[in-house]
Amino acid sequence: MSRKITLLVLAAAFAYGLYVLAGLPARAEVRALARKNPDKTGVMRQREEEARSAKRKPRRMQTWVPLSRVSRNLIHAVVIAEDPKFFGHEGVDWDAIKESLEKDIKERRFARGGSTISMQVAKNVFFNTRKSLTRKLRELIVTQWMERDLPKKRILEIYLNVIEWGDGVYGCEAAAQRYYGRPAAELGEAEAAGLAAMIPSPRRINPVTNPTRHARAQKRILWLMARAGYVKRDVGSLGAEPPADAGDEEGPEPTEPDPPPS
C-alpha cells in the first residue's frame, strides 16, 4: 500500500512539474528582451480583461525611455526600496524569500515580499499579479533565464518601463508625467521617493486615491535613501526609525479618475 501511495505522489509531482513547464514562455522570447522592448505585457493584458469585466474602457499610458533618460534619484529610490541587493544577486534574494515565507505562514495568506526586481520583471512581462505557487515557480524559472541572457542594466530598464504605476499607468515616464507633470529624467529626490513608494500597491498607495497613505510611504523611502547616502538631507530630520511600511491589502483596488486632457 505504501509503495502505491509513493508512486501516486511521484506521479502527481511529475504531472504538476509538466504543468508548470507548459505555462512557461519560449526561451527565445526571454532572450529577445535583450534587444527588443516588450509590447503588451501579461499584467497589461490582465488589466484590460479586468476593465472589460467591470464594463470600463481599458487604458494604457506608457512612453518607453532608455535608462540614460531616467533620473538617478528614481533609480536609487527604486533599488533601495525594492531590491537593495539587485546588482549583487543572481535574480533571487533567498533571505528575502525566507522572510516572505515566514510572513505568509504567520498571516496564513500570500503576503507581499521576497520578489527581486528581476522576479518582478518576469511576473509583469510574462504572467500576472494573481498570487499562486504555480505562478511563483514559473516566475523563478524565467528569472534565472533572464539573469543569464540579459545584463542587469537591461533588466532594470525593462522594469522601469513596464511596471504599474497606477490605474492604466505603466512605466516611469508616464508616471512622472501623470503625478508630477515632468519627465522621468527631471525627478527630484522627493518625487522619486513618491514614485518608488507606489510600487508595492500602485492603485492603493497612490497620491490620487489615497494621498495620506502615499505620503507616509514616501517618507519611508526618503528615510531609506538618506540612510544609504542617496539624498542630501540628514536621516535625523526624518526620524530615528523609518515610518511603518504602508503594506498591502486585500479586496478590490480603487481606480483613478481620467487625467485631464493635455
Side-chain angles (χ1 to χ4, degrees), residues 149-167:
D149 298 336
L150 279 65
K152 286 283 190 178
K153 286 186 177 180
R154 176 58 176 164
I155 293 173
L156 183 59
E157 181 178 83
I158 295 171
Y159 179 78
L160 290 170
N161 278 282
V162 303
I163 63 169
E164 268 190 307
W165 250 303
D167 185 14

Side-chain angles (χ1 to χ4, degrees), residues 23-70:
L24 293 173
R27 182 68 185 274
E29 288 184 66
V30 178
R31 289 197 185 102
L33 292 175
R35 62 185 185 279
K36 181 181 178 183
N37 297 336
D39 184 18
K40 188 179 292 186
T41 67
V43 169
M44 290 175 189
R45 286 190 289 270
Q46 174 192 348
R47 296 310 188 194
E48 286 184 355
E49 292 171 5
E50 291 171 352
R52 282 191 288 266
S53 297
K55 295 181 169 50
R56 291 191 298 111
K57 182 180 178 181
R59 56 186 177 184
R60 174 180 168 187
M61 291 171 273
Q62 183 189 33
T63 301
W64 193 282
V65 290
L67 201 59
S68 60
R69 285 174 52 196
V70 177

Side-chain angles (χ1 to χ4, degrees), residues 2-262:
S2 59
R3 186 166 179 270
K4 287 183 178 180
I5 293 174
T6 301
L7 289 173
L8 285 172
V9 170
L10 290 174
F14 180 73
Y16 179 66
L18 291 177
Y19 173 69
V20 170
L21 295 175
L24 293 173
R27 182 68 185 274
E29 288 184 66
V30 178
R31 289 197 185 102
L33 292 175
R35 62 185 185 279
K36 181 181 178 183
N37 297 336
D39 184 18
K40 188 179 292 186
T41 67
V43 169
M44 290 175 189
R45 286 190 289 270
Q46 174 192 348
R47 296 310 188 194
E48 286 184 355
E49 292 171 5
E50 291 171 352
R52 282 191 288 266
S53 297
K55 295 181 169 50
R56 291 191 298 111
K57 182 180 178 181
R59 56 186 177 184
R60 174 180 168 187
M61 291 171 273
Q62 183 189 33
T63 301
W64 193 282
V65 290
L67 201 59
S68 60
R69 285 174 52 196
V70 177
S71 164
R72 188 172 294 274
N73 291 317
L74 183 60
I75 293 172
H76 288 159
V78 167
V79 172
I80 199 67
E82 290 297 304
D83 190 359
K85 300 177 183 177
F86 173 66
F87 288 102
H89 62 59
E90 297 181 350
V92 180
D93 184 342
W94 293 108
D95 290 336
I97 291 285
K98 179 184 176 183
E99 291 175 9
S100 177
L101 286 172
E102 290 172 351
K103 185 176 181 180
D104 289 347
I105 293 169
K106 182 179 179 180
E107 299 186 11
R108 297 183 181 181
R109 67 184 183 93
F110 285 111
R112 179 189 172 269
S115 290
T116 62
I117 284 175
S118 301
M119 291 167 69
Q120 291 181 56
V121 170
K123 176 188 72 178
N124 275 268
V125 174
F126 296 108
F127 305 112
N128 54 55
T129 66
R130 300 180 186 104
K131 297 176 181 179
S132 71
L133 176 61
T134 300
R135 193 212 76 195
K136 182 61 71 174
L137 291 173
R138 290 169 177 164
E139 186 181 298
L140 286 168
I141 294 170
V142 172
T143 295
Q144 293 304 303
W145 291 351
M146 284 197 310
E147 286 281 335
R148 293 171 191 158
D149 298 336
L150 279 65
K152 286 283 190 178
K153 286 186 177 180
R154 176 58 176 164
I155 293 173
L156 183 59
E157 181 178 83
I158 295 171
Y159 179 78
L160 290 170
N161 278 282
V162 303
I163 63 169
E164 268 190 307
W165 250 303
D167 185 14
V169 182
Y170 300 97
C172 60
E173 183 69 14
Q177 295 287 359
R178 169 74 167 128
Y179 303 111
Y180 298 110
R182 62 181 60 197
E186 298 178 6
L187 292 172
E189 295 168 353
E191 294 160 336
L195 288 191
M198 297 173 65
I199 294 174
S201 186
R203 296 187 180 195
R204 294 191 177 100
I205 309 173
N206 186 297
V208 175
T209 61
N210 196 332
T212 301
R213 185 179 183 192
H214 175 262
R216 186 171 72 249
Q218 179 185 33
K219 186 177 180 182
R220 180 174 183 274
I221 303 303
L222 277 171
W223 192 96
L224 293 172
M225 292 172 70
R227 188 181 65 170
Y230 290 145
V231 297
K232 297 174 183 176
R233 68 190 73 193
D234 179 35
V235 180
S237 66
L238 296 169
E241 296 291 335
D245 194 328
D248 201 353
E249 297 173 0
E250 300 294 330
E253 295 177 308
T255 57
E256 298 176 40
D258 290 324
S262 55

